[in-house]
């Protein structure tokens, strides 16, 4: 049954018209043909609200006596029995009178929703549990009746019912809210303009947060990357320098101009750990931004402008605040700087603010090259080849008389430049080009040992050499970076392909997925945390890796946390992830939530299947009790009534026949009840076999007592191994199998019970010559309350074979059905032979005692 939908009219203050709006909605739905009833609505003597109740069906309330006073509450049982499509329940935060079904009305509403009934309800902002302290500080009144925020947040629709403070006070003065004798006190206390304005602001902000959650979910579902400026989010880019405090305060002032704005400070560190940031200064700035109501974020990115824009777009920011560059004028030869690059690439959806400060143009360290992450060894080798190599080559060439010539010298120096670019990237290659040009000019270009070039051709050669060297270095460096990006994108595509495949196949468990996350990102611990509400503690739904003695209890304690919805987060410890890795991590987090939901749904489906099976068995049991068990009881009752009758003189033969009928009915009733009890024990798992070693011919003959004499032929060889079974369970199983075979065998055709040994197993075969069963029904006949074909109702309740198989499996054996050669069906009961025990006859006592 689908859960009902909850719609809540959230009031900014008492008297804004929540109940009136709810009743208006009910009239609209009734006019459209919806079955809507009033489960509980209190009009508080307001005439306009009372008029709105006319024309709506009202459920009779339940009367409760408490402290010699009679109170009325919503009758949940009556609403469930009436089962309307929509129920109107006023005052969601109301506390029920002691003795009610639930302590709170919102708990009553939960029952209606679970029963599939849609509910429309009302609540005021001051009744939300998380705002209790805030409301008390504003109004001076502590709200005793509250409702958990999570209950309201889970509502499918929340509609704010708002009214200006002046309009509410006019309604109060006109007597539309409270009785005339309470108006003056209310206007001078709770309904002061300042109180109403503050409550109104609380309601607007709370609903705005809810709307923002819907917006984030929609953007995530539709993979929307561009910024929607529905709410001001200001990202502050920090470098770890002293100007960070100025930027944070400036962003806070900007956020204060718009209600509901957010400040997010982000520090982007390079993956190689090369940074000039002061950890102490970063700690101070983090404390400052948190004190001002913002949040601090630490991400990794080698391309700082790209990482900053990636982060801003990921949080749907509308503005970026950066400080003016601390570079000196000559340092701009290395590039335009972060601020200019971010402003250029931000696009029309992001506003970039460059804020001046006291540290402008005071200088900073040389920028670290955006290399291709070639590794420290390769970079050192590149510098050695690029700087030391030309010097050594110059010494070698000058020591050779009549050297190879300027053209060949240029090619040799160019070769070193290319090698330096391949090893160390762009900067070693540029250094090699510069050093090689100077050495070529000084040692090999006439006039030698001077920096003067007399022949213009030689000058052209040196210039071309330098240009080619720079071009080659740039191309090699770009190719290395593109290779790195391609490898990363290929890895991301493989990961996303794995996730998509696991979604389609549904074969990934939560533990396996979390372990894949840990291996993919090289983390120590990965945990999926969840909580029931905003104020509830976090619990761990799944974990991979080790905690090293410190369990991960909150997302805030992790190095990286990725929110999944409102009350779930994927937390990782081990290192801080680069900004570009968070895209893939977000996909993993979403998949983890899907896998967790799937596992829970599978568990619920299994429990539902068990409940359905139990209901089916109970239904069949009732049918058996109502018919099959009553048949022998009716026979016994009729025979006893006849024997006790004084009107008829029964002959001894008639009395014997009636007594035989009573005995047969009692035996049949005992057999039916025994099967029912056995099936009940199997269903509840209370069958505990007492295994002992015994010979088959001690048990099988005892199981034939309930069948007519001559209807069974036994063929049990004496040389059979001893079996390890529970004699009682085995006797019961064989008895059911033999009785079933005799019942379906034609007259004059005896049932054959034979046994044989097969390795470490012993097979007991019960073969009849009845109509047999097709292959498609052979497994179905072992289900409880199943009777094949046109078996009469009086033939039993269909438990004999189910009990026989259950007992066989409890003893470690099996029971299967096969076709009998020549027609009929054979039940094959396979049992375990006792290890290492030859067949033996039971020892009889030397002297019998009575």
């Amino acid at each position: 049954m689908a859960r009902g939908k909850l719609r809540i009219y959230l009031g900014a203050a008492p008297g804004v018209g929540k109940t009136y709006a709810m009743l208006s909605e009910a009239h609209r739905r009734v006019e459209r043909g919806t079955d809507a009833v009033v489960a509980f609505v209190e009009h508080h003597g307001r005439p306009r609200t009372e008029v709105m109740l006319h024309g709506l069906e009202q459920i009779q309330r339940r009367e409760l006596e408490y402290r010699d006073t009679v109170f009325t509450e919503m009758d949940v049982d009556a609403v469930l029995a009436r089962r309307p499509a929509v129920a109107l329940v006023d005052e969601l935060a109301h506390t029920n009178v002691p003795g009610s079904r639930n302590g709170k009305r919102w708990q009553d509403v939960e029952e209606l929703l679970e029963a599939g009934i849609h509910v429309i309800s009302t609540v005021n902002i001051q009744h939300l549990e998380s705002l209790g302290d805030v409301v008390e500080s504003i109004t001076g009144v502590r709200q005793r009746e509250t409702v958990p925020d999570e209950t309201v947040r889970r509502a499918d629709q929340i509609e704010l019912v708002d009214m200006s403070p002046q309009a509410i006070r006019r309604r109060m003065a006109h007597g539309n809210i409270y009785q005339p004798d309470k108006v003056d006190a209310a206007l001078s206390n709770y309904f002061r303009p300042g109180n109403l304005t503050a409550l109104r602001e609380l309601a607007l902000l709370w609903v705005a947060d809810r709307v923002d959650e819907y917006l984030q979910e929609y953007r995530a579902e539709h993979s929307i990357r561009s910024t929607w400026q529905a709410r001001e989010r200001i990202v502050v880019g920090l470098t770890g320098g002293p100007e960070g405090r100025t930027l944070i305060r400036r962003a806070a002032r900007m956020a204060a101009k718009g209600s509901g704005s957010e400040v997010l400070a982000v520090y982007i560190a390079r993956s190689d750990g090369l940074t000039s940031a002061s950890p102490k200064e970063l700690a101070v700035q983090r404390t400052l931004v948190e004190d001002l109501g913002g949040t601090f974020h630490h991400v990794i990115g080698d391309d700082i402008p790209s990482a900053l824009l990636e982060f801003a777009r990921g949080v749907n920011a509308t503005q970026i605040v950066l400080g003016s560059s601390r570079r000196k004028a000559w340092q701009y030869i290395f590039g335009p700087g972060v601020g200019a690059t971010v402003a250029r690439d931000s696009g029309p959806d992001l506003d970039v603010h460059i804020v001046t400060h006291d540290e402008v143009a005071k200088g900073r360290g040389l920028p670290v090259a955006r290399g291709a992450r070639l590794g420290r060894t390769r970079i050192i080798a590149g510098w050695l080849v690029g700087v030391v190599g030309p010097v050594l080559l110059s010494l070698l060439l000058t020591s050779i008389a009549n050297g190879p010539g300027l053209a060949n010298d240029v090619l040799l120096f160019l070769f070193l430049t290319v090698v330096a670019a391949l090893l160390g990237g762009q900067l070693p290659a540029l250094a090699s080009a510069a050093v090689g040009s100077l050495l070529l000019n000084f040692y090999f270009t006439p006039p030698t040992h001077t920096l003067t070039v007399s022949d213009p051709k030689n000058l052209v050669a040196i210039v071309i050499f330098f240009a080619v060297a720079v071009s080659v270095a740039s191309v090699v460096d770009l190719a290395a970076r593109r290779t790195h990006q391609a490898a990363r994108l290929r890895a991301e595509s493989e990961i996303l392909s794995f996730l998509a495949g696991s979604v389609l196949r549904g074969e990934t468990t939560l533990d396996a997925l979390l372990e894949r996350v840990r291996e993919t990102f090289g983390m120590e611990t990965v945990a999926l945390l969840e909580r029931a509400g905003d104020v509830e503690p976090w619990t761990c739904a799944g974990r991979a890796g080790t905690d090293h003695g410190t369990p991960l209890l909150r997302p805030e304690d992790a190095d990286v946390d990725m929110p999944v919805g409102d009350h779930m987060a994927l937390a990782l410890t081990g290192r801080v992830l680069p900004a570009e890795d968070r895209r893939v991590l977000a996909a993993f987090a979403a998949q983890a939530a899907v896998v967790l939901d799937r596992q829970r749904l599978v568990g619920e489906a299994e429990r539902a299947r068990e409940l359905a099976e139990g209901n089916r068995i109970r239904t069949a049991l009732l049918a058996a009790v109502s018919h099959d068990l009553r048949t022998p009881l009716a026979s016994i009752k009729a025979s006893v009534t006849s024997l006790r009758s004084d009107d008829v003189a029964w002959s001894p033969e008639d009395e014997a026949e009636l007594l035989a009928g009573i005995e047969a009915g009692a035996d049949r009733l005992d057999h039916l009840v025994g099967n029912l009890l056995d099936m009940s024990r199997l269903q509840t798992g209370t069958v505990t076999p007492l295994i002992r070693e015994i010979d088959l011919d001690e048990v099988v003959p005892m199981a034939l007592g309930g069948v007519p004499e001559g209807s069974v032929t036994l063929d049990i060889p004496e040389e059979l191994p001893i079996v390890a079974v529970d004699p009682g369970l085995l006797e019961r199983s064989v008895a059911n199998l033999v009785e079933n075979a005799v019942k379906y065998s034609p007259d004059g055709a005896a049932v054959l019970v034979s046994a044989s040994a097969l390795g470490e197993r012993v097979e007991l075969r019960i073969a009849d010559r009845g109509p047999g069963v097709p292959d498609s029904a052979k497994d179905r006949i072992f289900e409880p309350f199943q009777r094949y074909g046109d078996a009469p109702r009086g033939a039993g309740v269909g438990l004999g074979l189910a009990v026989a198989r259950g007992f066989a499996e409890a003893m470690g054996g099996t029971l299967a059905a096969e076709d009998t050669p020549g027609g009929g069906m054979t039940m094959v009961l396979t049992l375990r032979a006792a290890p290492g025990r030859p067949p033996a006859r039971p020892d009889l006592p030397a002297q019998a005692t009575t």
Side-chain angles (χ1 to χ4, degrees):
M1 178 184 299
R3 176 182 169 89
K5 295 184 177 180
L6 175 61
R7 178 172 183 171
I8 293 180
Y9 286 92
L10 178 66
V16 295
K18 306 179 304 299
T19 305
Y20 190 92
M22 177 179 67
L23 293 174
S24 299
E25 175 64 20
H27 279 285
R28 285 192 293 270
R29 297 199 181 196
V30 170
E31 291 173 358
R32 294 196 301 263
T34 304
D35 182 19
V37 301
V38 176
F40 187 96
V41 170
E42 188 63 63
H43 56 74
H44 297 291
R46 300 167 187 167
R48 294 188 177 181
T49 305
E50 186 176 3
V51 170
M52 293 296 294
L53 286 170
H54 296 166
L56 296 177
E57 178 185 350
Q58 300 186 47
I59 302 294
Q60 185 70 30
R61 299 184 185 181
R62 181 185 179 190
E63 295 185 352
L64 295 170
E65 185 175 349
Y66 179 66
R67 294 182 178 178
D68 301 327
T69 305
V70 177
F71 298 89
T72 60
E73 295 287 0
M74 180 175 67
D75 193 339
V76 180
D77 292 326
V79 179
L80 293 175
R82 170 63 175 77
R83 197 168 186 78
V86 179
L88 276 62
V89 183
D90 204 6
E91 299 176 357
L92 187 63
H94 171 75
T95 301
N96 294 329
V97 175
S100 301
R101 183 188 186 99
N102 296 300
K104 289 285 192 176
R105 185 163 293 163
W106 63 265
Q107 296 172 328
D108 297 336
V109 169
E110 283 294 323
E111 287 198 37
L112 300 182
L113 295 174
E114 291 295 335
I117 300 174
H118 302 319
V119 176
I120 304 177
S121 187
T122 64
V123 69
N124 283 327
I125 190 66
Q126 68 265 23
H127 292 295
L128 295 182
E129 197 169 76
S130 65
L131 300 178
D133 296 337
V134 179
V135 173
E136 183 179 10
S137 65
I138 294 172
T139 64
V141 178
R142 182 68 180 184
Q143 298 294 329
R144 299 185 181 277
E145 294 186 328
T146 60
V147 60
D149 290 48
E150 181 61 22
T151 300
V152 182
R153 285 183 179 276
R154 284 204 309 265
D156 298 276
Q157 297 182 56
I158 300 177
E159 184 170 334
L160 178 64
V161 183
D162 186 25
M163 187 178 291
S164 67
Q166 294 77 11
I168 297 177
R169 287 173 60 83
R170 282 197 302 270
R171 291 196 65 199
M172 176 69 71
H174 294 159
N176 294 330
I177 300 178
Y178 289 164
Q179 297 298 324
D181 57 337
K182 299 179 180 179
V183 170
D184 292 338
L187 289 175
S188 59
N189 290 282
Y190 194 90
F191 284 81
R192 294 196 300 265
N195 291 356
L196 296 176
T197 302
L199 292 175
R200 188 185 191 194
E201 183 179 14
L202 278 179
L204 291 171
L205 290 176
W206 195 91
V207 174
D209 287 339
R210 180 61 173 160
V211 172
D212 188 62
E213 292 173 5
Y214 283 137
L215 180 61
Q216 293 294 341
E217 292 175 2
Y218 180 85
R219 285 168 53 84
E221 290 174 359
H222 294 78
S223 301
I224 298 174
R225 301 284 296 167
S226 61
T227 300
W228 286 4
Q229 299 184 6
R231 181 177 184 177
E232 292 294 336
R233 284 190 178 85
I234 304 173
V235 171
V236 184
L238 302 178
T239 64
E243 77 281 0
R245 305 183 200 181
T246 302
L247 302 182
I248 292 171
R249 293 190 182 98
R250 177 61 177 144
R253 291 196 299 272
M254 294 169 58
K257 296 178 181 179
S259 179
S261 299
E262 296 181 42
V263 175
L264 301 92
V266 55
Y267 170 70
I268 300 175
R270 297 187 185 276
S271 60
D272 54 11
L274 298 177
T275 177
S276 59
S278 167
K280 183 178 180 180
E281 181 63 29
L282 280 177
V284 172
Q285 293 175 13
R286 178 170 191 158
T287 302
L288 176 61
V289 71
E290 291 175 350
D291 290 342
L292 293 175
T295 57
F296 183 89
H297 303 269
H298 185 183
V299 299
I300 292 179
D302 288 311
D303 190 343
I304 292 179
S306 298
L308 181 60
L309 290 172
E310 183 77 22
F311 176 84
R313 292 193 173 96
V315 298
N316 198 30
T318 57
Q319 302 181 56
I320 297 178
V321 175
L322 299 173
S324 297
S325 178
R326 288 186 283 132
R327 291 180 176 187
K328 293 184 179 295
W330 65 269
Q331 291 180 317
Y332 280 96
I333 64 174
F334 296 103
V338 173
T341 304
V342 171
R344 182 192 64 200
D345 298 338
S346 60
D349 55 347
L350 274 173
D351 297 334
V352 180
H353 302 267
I354 306 297
V355 179
T356 59
H357 49 84
D358 295 337
E359 304 295 324
V360 174
K362 289 187 177 181
R364 57 181 299 180
L366 291 174
V368 179
R370 292 184 296 168
R373 301 180 186 176
L374 299 175
R376 184 179 300 272
T377 302
R378 288 189 59 180
I379 293 176
I380 293 175
W383 280 102
L384 290 176
V385 173
V387 176
V388 180
V391 175
L392 297 178
L393 180 60
S394 299
L395 296 176
L396 176 63
L397 294 176
T398 54
S399 64
I400 300 175
N402 299 323
L406 180 60
N408 293 324
D409 294 339
V410 170
L411 292 177
L412 291 174
F413 277 97
L414 182 61
F415 173 75
L416 290 179
T417 302
V418 173
V419 173
L422 292 174
L423 290 176
Q426 189 172 17
L427 285 181
L430 293 176
S432 177
V435 173
S437 300
L438 292 175
L439 293 175
L440 280 171
N441 187 8
F442 191 81
Y443 287 105
F444 305 104
T445 304
T448 59
H449 303 292
T450 66
L451 296 179
T452 303
V453 180
S454 60
D455 189 350
K457 294 181 180 180
N458 295 334
L459 178 61
V460 171
I462 293 176
V463 171
I464 293 176
F465 161 75
F466 185 81
V468 171
V470 171
S471 301
V472 170
S474 300
V475 170
V476 171
D477 179 71
L478 180 62
R481 284 191 282 116
R482 291 290 183 266
T483 301
H484 173 76
Q485 293 173 358
R488 177 178 182 82
L489 292 175
R490 183 179 62 184
E492 287 188 8
S493 65
E494 291 177 354
I495 293 172
L496 295 177
S497 175
F498 161 77
L499 287 177
S502 64
V503 169
L504 295 176
R505 294 188 300 269
E507 60 186 20
T508 303
T509 63
L510 181 60
D511 293 340
L513 182 63
L514 295 180
E515 182 62 27
R516 178 65 181 265
V517 175
R518 191 185 70 82
E519 294 176 354
T520 300
F521 296 100
M523 290 295 183
E524 295 179 357
T525 306
V526 178
L528 184 63
L529 306 178
E530 62 176 348
R531 59 180 177 180
D534 293 333
V535 297
E536 299 294 328
W538 290 93
T539 58
C540 182
R543 183 186 304 273
T546 57
D547 291 327
H548 299 293
T550 304
L552 191 59
L553 302 178
R554 301 182 307 165
E556 295 83 1
D557 299 333
D559 295 320
V560 181
D561 68 285
M562 177 60 64
V564 188
D566 295 335
H567 304 118
M568 188 177 294
L570 190 64
L572 302 88
T573 60
R575 64 187 179 92
V576 180
L577 284 181
E580 58 267 24
D581 282 350
R582 295 179 68 89
R583 296 195 304 270
V584 180
L585 183 61
F588 270 113
Q591 177 64 6
V594 171
V595 171
L596 180 61
D597 289 342
R598 182 187 298 125
Q599 289 184 354
R600 289 175 174 173
L601 289 174
V602 169
E604 292 176 2
E606 180 63 22
R607 289 190 293 271
R609 188 194 63 77
E610 293 176 355
L611 290 175
E613 179 67 16
N615 289 333
R616 188 181 69 83
I617 291 177
R618 280 191 291 271
T619 301
L621 178 60
L622 290 175
V625 171
S626 63
H627 185 280
D628 295 286
L629 296 184
R630 290 179 62 184
T631 300
L633 285 175
S635 176
I636 294 173
K637 175 67 175 178
S639 299
V640 172
T641 302
S642 300
L643 288 174
R644 296 187 61 185
S645 176
D646 297 331
D647 300 335
V648 180
W650 300 101
S651 64
E653 292 81 5
D654 293 334
E655 290 182 357
E657 184 177 353
L658 291 173
L659 290 173
I662 293 174
E663 183 178 11
D667 291 340
R668 183 179 171 194
L669 185 62
D670 176 70
H671 178 73
L672 293 174
V673 172
N675 275 337
L676 288 172
L677 293 177
D678 290 340
M679 198 66 227
S680 175
R681 292 167 59 200
L682 289 171
Q683 290 291 331
T684 56
T686 57
V687 175
T688 305
L690 301 176
I691 304 298
R692 49 177 289 203
E693 298 176 359
I694 195 170
D695 207 336
L696 272 182
D697 58 8
E698 295 183 50
V699 180
V700 174
M702 299 174 61
L704 306 181
V707 297
E709 186 175 355
S711 59
V712 177
T713 301
L714 281 178
D715 182 15
I716 301 179
E718 295 184 359
E719 63 272 11
L720 281 178
I722 294 176
V723 292
V725 296
D726 182 316
L729 298 184
L730 178 59
E731 179 183 346
R732 187 73 178 172
S733 298
V734 175
N736 285 348
L737 295 175
V738 171
E739 289 177 8
N740 184 78
V742 170
K743 178 170 58 178
Y744 286 99
S745 291
D747 295 338
V751 173
L752 175 62
V753 178
S754 60
S756 60
L758 183 63
E760 297 180 353
R761 314 291 288 181
V762 174
E763 286 187 353
L764 186 65
R765 308 175 73 87
I766 298 94
D768 64 58
R769 292 295 180 179
V773 174
D775 293 338
S776 59
K778 282 187 170 60
D779 286 333
R780 195 165 62 249
I781 61 176
F782 291 102
E783 296 178 4
F785 302 102
Q786 295 290 325
R787 286 178 297 197
Y788 177 71
D790 56 352
R793 291 292 302 174
V797 295
L799 286 177
L801 296 182
V803 170
R805 172 174 274 189
F807 283 170
E809 292 176 350
M811 295 182 294
T814 60
L815 177 62
E818 297 179 356
D819 292 331
T820 302
M825 186 171 64
T826 300
M827 292 293 176
V828 182
L829 178 61
T830 306
L831 304 171
R832 292 184 294 115
R837 293 294 305 275
R841 304 300 302 170
D843 295 332
L844 300 177
Q847 184 178 359
T849 58
T850 59

